[in-house]
């Protein structure tokens, strides 16, 4: 780390970039080689070194070109910060225990000035209940609407992520009947419906599921012809990564299909698969494969470990996702305005995608496993 | 990646699948649930049993079985074989009549329904006018006389059930033709008895319930004789020569009436109340049978003194001054007497009495002094005491088989030497390919060993574990307490005994090693017994060891039952399996899993608290492991709360079933017409008001009973490193945890000196936390490891110890393959996530191909909670076939299912019946038999232990076919084919030196 520091400081050529780092009231300035920024860990160590805070846990943030304060906590967003810094990379360091998460955010474009004052005088905005955004490594999606581009507009495919035991999934299903249009006219067919949402449960907090929504598929498998008990078992078996396709009872909040071409076009380009078959079932598979590959083995040395996969499978591209809400201490976003959120969410989405492998890496190290 | 491999079905594989898998429900073993009618054909020598659910089952010689089901699912009330024909008529409780016949197709007989009919009266007539009470198939083979509640007798032409109005005998007609003095009383009412004159087909005897008996001339349409009893008539019997009529009555009396031309209305010759003088219950049926020696047999049902023995179910036999009242433990449905079949013979000479009771069939030998019982080769009462578990062992070595048969033989000392007297038909079923044992554990602490090789499930040996324990009622005292000298001369018969002394004795798990003869059984109160087969009687003390499965768990309180107290000191054990070690789990919770490794002399057992390993060679505990989760309050408190919840859930599921049945329920004929739909609507409304809801919640570590040990498995595999394999023990819990212990078993020469050591090497927590129901280790060729001692006995290829082994863990929701020794996930099949079904039973089975003799594959046979049977391939975990087998609501059926090692299986369809099914094209045990009409031969009685007799039967069967050339040829060719194989089998059996009673293919 010292080496890279010296190296960066020594060369004053075009490839270097100036870094201005602030911790508390102190500033440090140094330079980095733009083409070889190194790893985040090294950078983190460097910051601790230059500020002489070797054993203090800190949060690192930077001001991007729009003036938003964004976190740096992994290689990807570190590289992003380095590559976009123009010409100066402004770093803000906060002690973890004193950190004001509300300072971070992407919706600070218009309140650019305020953000900076927030950092400088964190006590100013205490009165306003703010959204706490934790570190991206602690980030995890709790729900999303997926496959918007391949589903009929009347259907909604919702993904619920269940972690540990913190929050119950919290919903009930029942038997019922729905009317279908068939060649023989309208026909009443048995169906499965959401009958109740538990207050405070995951299902309710996402706002994506509602009482009387008809359940059409569970993790890509159609439920028609299956009994209530079967569907219950399927949902529970998939509870760690539950993808339910519903026909919402309230059809007014549907995702408008053409939103893709207008609002969130940038986000869906790299994700949508042209010519992908309308039968969406397999698109869920790769996700599915990975979701519970986390059985734990305790060998005779007594250390619990994730069971690795014997044959690694190549991950295929995910289909279009609009990440909707992220878990946070206070309740997340208001669920009814998906379309408005889309462009913002796209930013988060890239962030999320970058943090996934990181999280996995950590898990495989066996450091954050709890039994 | 796998997505791209899944590219449509491979045609070669599909073809192979057809050669390997096929689903058939083949035989129903055991005793029909809720029998309601009995029929016997003396000419066919076939027995028929009808049930309350509308099933009709025919039994002849061992292996000759047929089953039919009435569409209506109404109770069968009466069964009548048509004289001299392969046909029978059944009467259901909805007053419908059905004609069934045994038709020969492809060389084997099939039972099918030809015709059904309901008697209709004139418009406006009361329903009772046509309510059939008795039926008489006339010996002319064309007519069926039907007695009704109104007192009329209708005549119906067979086989088309055409009503012959002119042949009807109305009660008015009879009244008119009665002499003046008999007319003044209301003597008619319903027809209770209808019998044809034994010698003269033109005369019938009509008995009316008020006590009038009339002999009616069918041709002349007149009353030939009439008899008037003062008591309500129950039934009548016409003596073989037609000279005497015996009637039985509701007051427990029977009367004899002489039949002669001279006196038109005589007084009864004698009238007696056999169990008088105090008021008696009705005699409902009577037989009066003549013998060559002179003195007749009187056999009757009921008639017991009302006050003191009114609750007994008795059939009494009186002959030559001897009288015995056979006392049954369940209600008597009906009985039949097996006697001379030829109507022309001078005497009845009865030789056997067949009694159908509600829970068992009992056959009594009337030839041998003391009237001993004839052990039945089929229709065994599986549920003598309720079945609590079952265990199947395929391909039993001859040596062990013989020893078990010998041990069982000594248990049946007072049985008749008579061959099974119901021996109609010929079985062509191929001889069983191997000897299979089905072991059933019962609530009373017994284990029954059944010969499950062939079509007939026959009891070989019964083991009781009761003697090891002190129970409230000592069985030896019980026996002597019963006085034999009393009047009435009661004699308890039958084995059905639903009352268990102590529910803790119940057997929950059985494990038999077929090579060593070691048996482990475990019960409800945490008792684990290890038994050894001993051909001699022995007296020894059973060593007791306590296994504390809780170790130092704190705050524990066991609220369940106490342990059983073992009998101190030496105990006398009869020849057979004799216990030598009792491992008592503490707390004494029900044993939930059991495994025995006879080569290493180890037994592993698990309860809801943990599991342990016991060295039965050194009689020492190797280790125990507590699996309790600290937060598992339910398990900590004991089973009480669990019992409640189980009861509750059962009740709920029953309620659900009932509710779902309401709309489909048939309207009863007499019911109010408007009520049915209204009730259904109300039911529907209820459902809409309170819909069934299911909570969707992830399973958590805090769920109760996570520590419940579901499965235990021994394997010699690579647990620690890939260079050395070692013995290992695997355990799977309800909470999705798998424990792997490496064992060190000392070499044979130091087996007694050095202790067995165990060390935990692996612990796998499945993240989906579903109960682990099966663990299997696959060898280097992905073949499941053989059973212990299998290789030593040259019955299996030795496993491949070169390649890397794999561990297959089956949970209720997923199948997963892990590599060994380093555990990494290799493959999985997420069954529940895909189709919403959960694994209830899983077993490795070998499927042979029906085309290639030596080709076979090992796969998993799986039963799900939906009652589906699936085959999942090994090692790739690909679903192969799926068949629906058991109704989803049939919880006990699903819970009772066992698979065999060769792709067959059994499950309980009622408390007393196992349905046998087969997934294999190669191993199929099903009845294939022929019932041909034979000219009745004189003196065709089963001789005691006569094998030459059998041969003559066969000759008779094949030679005396009268029904037309074509059928005859067909049958003969089949018979010859069958005979050839029979002969082969017989000679082979003889060479092997033993006889399989149901493999005789007779």
């Amino acid at each position: 780390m010292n080496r890279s520091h010296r190296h960066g400081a020594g060369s004053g050529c075009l490839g270097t970039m100036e870094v201005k780092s602030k911790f508390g009231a102190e500033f440090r300035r140094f330079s980095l080689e733009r083409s070889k920024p190194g790893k985040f860990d090294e950078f983190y160590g460097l910051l601790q070194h230059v500020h002489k805070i070797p054993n203090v846990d800190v949060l690192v943030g930077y001001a991007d070109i729009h003036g938003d304060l964004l976190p740096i906590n992994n290689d990807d967003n570190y590289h992003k910060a380095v590559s976009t810094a123009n010409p100066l990379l402004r770093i803000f360091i906060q002690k973890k225990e004193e950190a004001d998460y509300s300072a971070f955010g992407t919706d600070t474009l218009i309140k650019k000035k305020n953000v900076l004052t927030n950092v400088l005088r964190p006590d100013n905005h205490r009165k306003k209940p703010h959204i706490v955004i934790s570190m991206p490594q602690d980030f995890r999606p709790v729900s999303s609407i997926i496959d918007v581009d391949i589903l009929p507009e009347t259907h909604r495919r919702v993904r619920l992520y269940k972690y540990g035991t913190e929050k119950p999934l919290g919903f009930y299903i029942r038997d019922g009947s729905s009317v279908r249009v068939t060649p023989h006219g309208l026909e009443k067919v048995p169906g499965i419906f959401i009958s109740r949402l538990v207050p405070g449960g995951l299902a309710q907090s996402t706002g994506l599921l509602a009482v009387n929504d008809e359940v059409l598929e569970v993790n890509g498998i159609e439920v028609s012809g299956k009994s209530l008990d079967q569907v219950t078992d399927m949902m529970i078996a998939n509870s760690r990564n539950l993808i339910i396709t519903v026909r919402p009872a309230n059809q007014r909040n549907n995702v408008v299909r053409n939103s893709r071409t207008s609002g969130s076009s940038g986000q869906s380009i790299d994700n949508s698969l042209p010519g992908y078959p309308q039968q969406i079932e397999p698109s869920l598979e790769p996700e599915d494969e990975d979701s519970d590959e986390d059985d734990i083995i305790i060998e005779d040395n007594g250390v619990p470990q994730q069971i690795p996969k014997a044959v690694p499978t190549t991950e295929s591209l995910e289909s279009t996702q609009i990440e909707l809400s992220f878990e946070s201490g206070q309740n997340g976003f208001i669920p009814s305005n998906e379309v408005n959120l889309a462009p913002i969410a796209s930013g988060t989405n890239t962030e999320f995608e970058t943090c996934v492998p990181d999280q996995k890496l950590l898990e495989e190290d066996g450091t954050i496993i709890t039994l | 990646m796998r997505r791209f491999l899944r590219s449509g079905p491979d045609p070669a594989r599909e073809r192979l699948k057809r050669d390997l898998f096929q689903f058939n429900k083949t035989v129903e073993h055991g005793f029909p649930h809720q029998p309601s009618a009995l029929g016997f054909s003396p000419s066919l020598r076939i027995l028929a049993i009808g049930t309350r659910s509308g099933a009709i089952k025919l039994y002849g010689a061992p292996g000759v079985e047929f089953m039919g089901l009435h569409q209506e699912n109404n109770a069968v009330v009466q069964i009548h074989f048509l004289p001299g024909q392969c046909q029978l008529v059944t009467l259901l409780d909805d007053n419908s009549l059905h004609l069934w016949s045994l038709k020969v197709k492809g060389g084997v007989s099939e039972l099918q329904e030809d015709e059904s009919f309901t008697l209709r009266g004139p418009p406006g007539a009361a329903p009772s006018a046509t309510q059939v009470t008795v039926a008489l198939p006339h010996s002319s083979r064309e007519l069926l006389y039907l007695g009704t509640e109104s007192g009329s007798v209708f005549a119906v032409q067979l086989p088309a059930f055409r009503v012959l109005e002119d042949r009807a005998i109305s009660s008015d007609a009879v009244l008119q033709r009665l002499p003046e003095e008999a007319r003044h009383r209301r003597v008619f009412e319903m027809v209770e008895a209808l019998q044809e004159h034994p010698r003269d087909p033109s005369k019938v005897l009509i008995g009316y319930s008020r006590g009038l008996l009339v002999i009616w001339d069918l041709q002349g349409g007149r009353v030939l004789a009439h008899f008037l009893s003062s008591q309500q008539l129950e039934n009548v019997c016409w003596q073989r020569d037609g000279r005497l009529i015996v009637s039985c009555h509701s007051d427990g009396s029977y009367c004899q009436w002489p039949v002669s031309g001279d006196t038109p209305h005589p007084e009864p010759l004698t009238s007696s109340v056999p169990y008088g003088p105090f008021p008696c219950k009705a005699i409902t049926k009577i037989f009066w049978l003549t013998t060559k020696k002179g003195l007749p047999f009187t056999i009757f049902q009921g008639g017991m003194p009302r006050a003191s023995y009114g609750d007994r179910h008795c059939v009494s036999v009186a002959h030559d001054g001897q009288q015995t009242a056979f006392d049954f433990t369940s209600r008597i449905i009906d009985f039949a007497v097996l006697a001379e079949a030829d109507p022309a013979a001078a005497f009845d000479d009865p030789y056997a009495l067949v009694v159908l009771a509600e829970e068992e069939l009992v056959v009594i030998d009337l030839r041998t002094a003391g009237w001993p019982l004839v052990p039945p080769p089929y229709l065994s009462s599986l549920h003598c005491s309720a079945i609590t578990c079952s265990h199947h062992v395929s391909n039993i070595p001859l040596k062990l088989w013989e020893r078990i048969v010998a041990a069982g033989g000594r248990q049946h000392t007072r049985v008749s030497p008579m061959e099974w007297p119901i021996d109609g038909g010929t079985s062509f079923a191929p001889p069983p390919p191997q000897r299979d044992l089905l072991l059933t554990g019962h609530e009373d602490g017994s284990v029954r060993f059944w010969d499950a090789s062939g079509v007939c499930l026959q009891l070989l040996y019964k083991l009781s574990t009761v003697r090891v324990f002190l129970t409230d009622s000592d069985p030896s005292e019980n026996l002597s307490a019963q006085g034999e000298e009393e009047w009435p001369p009661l004699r308890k018969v039958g084995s059905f005994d639903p009352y268990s002394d102590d529910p803790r004795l119940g057997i929950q798990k059985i494990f038999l090693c077929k090579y060593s003869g070691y048996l482990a059984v475990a019960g409800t109160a945490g008792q684990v017994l290890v038994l050894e087969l001993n051909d001699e009687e022995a007296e020894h003390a059973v060593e007791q060891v306590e296994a504390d499965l809780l170790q130092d768990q704190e705050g524990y309180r066991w609220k369940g039952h106490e342990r059983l107290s073992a009998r101190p000191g030496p105990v006398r054990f009869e020849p057979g399996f004799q216990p030598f070690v009792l491992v008592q789990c503490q707390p004494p919770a029900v044993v939930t899993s059991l495994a025995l490794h006879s080569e290493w002399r180890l037994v592993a057992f698990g309860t809801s608290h943990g599991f342990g390993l016991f060295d039965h060679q050194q009689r020492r505990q190797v280790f125990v492991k507590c699996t309790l989760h600290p937060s598992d309050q339910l398990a900590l408190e004991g089973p009480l709360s669990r019992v409640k919840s189980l009861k509750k859930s059962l009740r709920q599921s029953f309620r659900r079933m009932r509710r779902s049945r309401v709309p489909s329920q048939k309207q009863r004929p007499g019911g109010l017409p408007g009520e049915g739909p209204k009730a259904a609507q109300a039911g529907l409304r209820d459902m809409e008001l309170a819909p069934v809801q299911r909570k969707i919640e992830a399973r958590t570590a805090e769920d109760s009973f996570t520590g419940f040990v579901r499965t235990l498995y021994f394997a010699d595999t690579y647990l620690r490193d890939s260079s050395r394999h070692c013995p290992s023990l695997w355990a799977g819990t309800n909470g999705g945890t798998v424990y792997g212990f490496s064992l060190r078993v000392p070499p044979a020469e130091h087996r007694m000196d050095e202790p067995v050591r165990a060390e935990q090497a692996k612990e796998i927590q499945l993240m989906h936390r579903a109960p682990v129901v099966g663990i299997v280790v696959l060898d280097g060729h992905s073949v499941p490891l053989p059973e212990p001692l299998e290789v030593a006995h040259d019955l299996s290829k030795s496993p491949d110890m070169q390649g890397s082994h794999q561990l297959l863990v089956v949970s209720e929701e997923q199948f997963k393959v892990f590599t060994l020794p380093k555990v990494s996930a290799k493959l999985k099949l997420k069954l529940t996530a895909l189709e919403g079904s959960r694994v209830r039973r899983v077993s490795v089975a070998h499927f042979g191909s029906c085309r290639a003799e030596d080709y076979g594959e090992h796969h998993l046979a799986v039963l799900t909670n939906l009652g589906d049977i699936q085959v999942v391939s090994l090692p790739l975990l690909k679903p192969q076939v799926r068949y629906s087998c058991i109704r989803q609501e049939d919880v006990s059926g699903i819970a009772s299912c066992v698979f065999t090692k060769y792709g067959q299986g059994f499950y309980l369809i009622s408390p007393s019946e196992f349905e046998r099914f087969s997934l294999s094209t190669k191993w199929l045990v099903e009845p294939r038999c022929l019932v041909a009409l034979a000219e009745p031969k004189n003196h065709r009685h089963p001789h005691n232990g006569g094998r030459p007799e059998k041969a003559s039967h066969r000759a008779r069967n094949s030679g005396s076919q009268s029904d037309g050339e074509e059928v005859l040829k067909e049958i003969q060719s089949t018979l010859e084919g069958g005979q050839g194989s029979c002969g082969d089998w017989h000679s082979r059996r003889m060479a092997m030196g033993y006889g399989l009673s149901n493999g005789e293919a007779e």
Side-chain angles (χ1 to χ4, degrees), chain A residues 12-129:
Chain A
C13 64
L14 270 172
T16 56
M17 173 193 58
E18 194 180 349
V19 182
K20 180 178 173 188
S21 167
K22 177 176 181 293
F23 174 67
E26 287 185 47
F27 288 91
R28 294 282 186 277
R29 282 168 182 274
F30 55 92
S31 64
L32 281 176
E33 195 168 337
R34 201 185 281 272
S35 56
K36 273 192 257 170
K39 297 241 182 260
F40 168 69
D41 288 345
E42 291 170 355
F43 181 67
Y44 187 81
L46 177 64
L47 289 175
Q48 284 183 323
H49 177 79
V50 299
H51 284 281
K52 302 202 168 57
I53 42 169
N55 291 316
V56 181
D57 280 342
V58 293
L59 294 181
V60 182
Y62 75 102
D64 80 342
I65 43 167
H66 308 294
D68 289 334
L69 179 64
L70 298 177
I72 303 181
N73 45 35
N74 59 35
D75 289 349
D76 293 290
N77 52 20
Y78 169 55
H79 291 157
K80 178 88 178 166
V82 169
S83 60
T84 56
N86 191 20
L88 177 76
L89 177 61
R90 289 192 293 164
I91 299 289
F92 299 90
I93 302 173
Q94 291 173 275
K95 274 192 184 170
K96 216 167 213 169
E97 53 269 31
E98 299 166 359
D100 178 8
Y101 294 94
S102 69
F104 293 105
T106 54
D107 56 347
T108 50
L109 188 62
I110 38 166
K111 300 186 284 178
K112 173 162 127 188
K113 288 277 174 326
N114 286 346
V115 175
L116 290 177
T117 44
N118 275 351
V119 181
L120 298 170
R121 275 169 294 152
D123 293 354
N124 261 9
H125 284 257
R126 281 287 158 184
K127 47 200 176 291
K128 181 187 128 198

Side-chain angles (χ1 to χ4, degrees), chain A residues 162 165 168-175 195-196 198 218 221 226-230 232-240 242 276 282 285-286 288-289 291-300 305 307-311 313-314 316 371, chain B residues 1-4 6 656 691-702 719-720 759-769 813-814 816 818-819 821-826 828 830-838 865-866 882 888:
Chain A
K162 167 86 184 143
T165 56
L169 280 170
F171 66 100
Y172 290 74
I173 56 172
R174 63 167 169 89
D175 278 319
S195 62
R196 189 155 87 85
V198 177
V218 175
I221 313 250
K226 292 197 159 64
S227 70
L228 183 64
D229 288 335
Q230 266 176 291
T232 306
D233 280 340
M234 285 167 69
M235 286 188 174
I236 290 174
N238 286 306
S239 58
R240 291 174 57 75
L242 184 58
Y276 198 79
E285 282 269 322
D288 196 37
E289 293 289 320
S291 61
D292 67 347
E293 214 42 88
D294 41 8
D295 297 339
I296 290 166
I297 172 87
I298 303 174
E299 301 272 356
D300 35 5
Q305 283 189 333
I307 295 182
K309 265 191 155 181
V311 189
T313 54
T314 47
S316 57
L371 258 175
Chain B
M1 213 160 91
R2 269 171 56 203
R3 156 149 61 109
F4 299 109
R6 207 195 300 141
R656 262 206 310 283
V692 184
Q693 285 190 82
R694 292 280 182 276
K695 189 175 190 183
I696 307 300
E697 209 44 80
R699 212 176 282 109
T700 67
E702 281 78 44
L719 195 59
R720 288 179 182 282
E759 203 179 336
Q760 181 167 337
K762 309 270 184 213
E763 180 178 334
I764 301 171
Q765 174 62 56
L766 301 175
M767 255 358 229
H768 63 286
R769 295 189 186 278
E813 296 185 355
Q814 300 186 5
K816 287 195 153 184
F818 299 97
T819 56
K822 168 133 184 59
V823 174
S824 54
K826 200 171 173 192
K828 71 178 164 200
K830 294 167 77 174
L831 186 76
T832 311
L834 283 172
E835 52 186 54
S837 54
R838 304 167 68 86
N865 65 331
L866 305 178
R882 171 164 57 170
Q888 189 179 341

Side-chain angles (χ1 to χ4, degrees), chain B residues 95-98 115-120 146 156 160-161 163:
Chain B
N95 203 34
S96 63
L97 289 154
H98 302 258
E115 209 68 54
S116 71
F117 166 76
T118 304
L119 190 61
R120 304 244 174 262
L146 302 169
V156 177
F161 283 116
V163 181

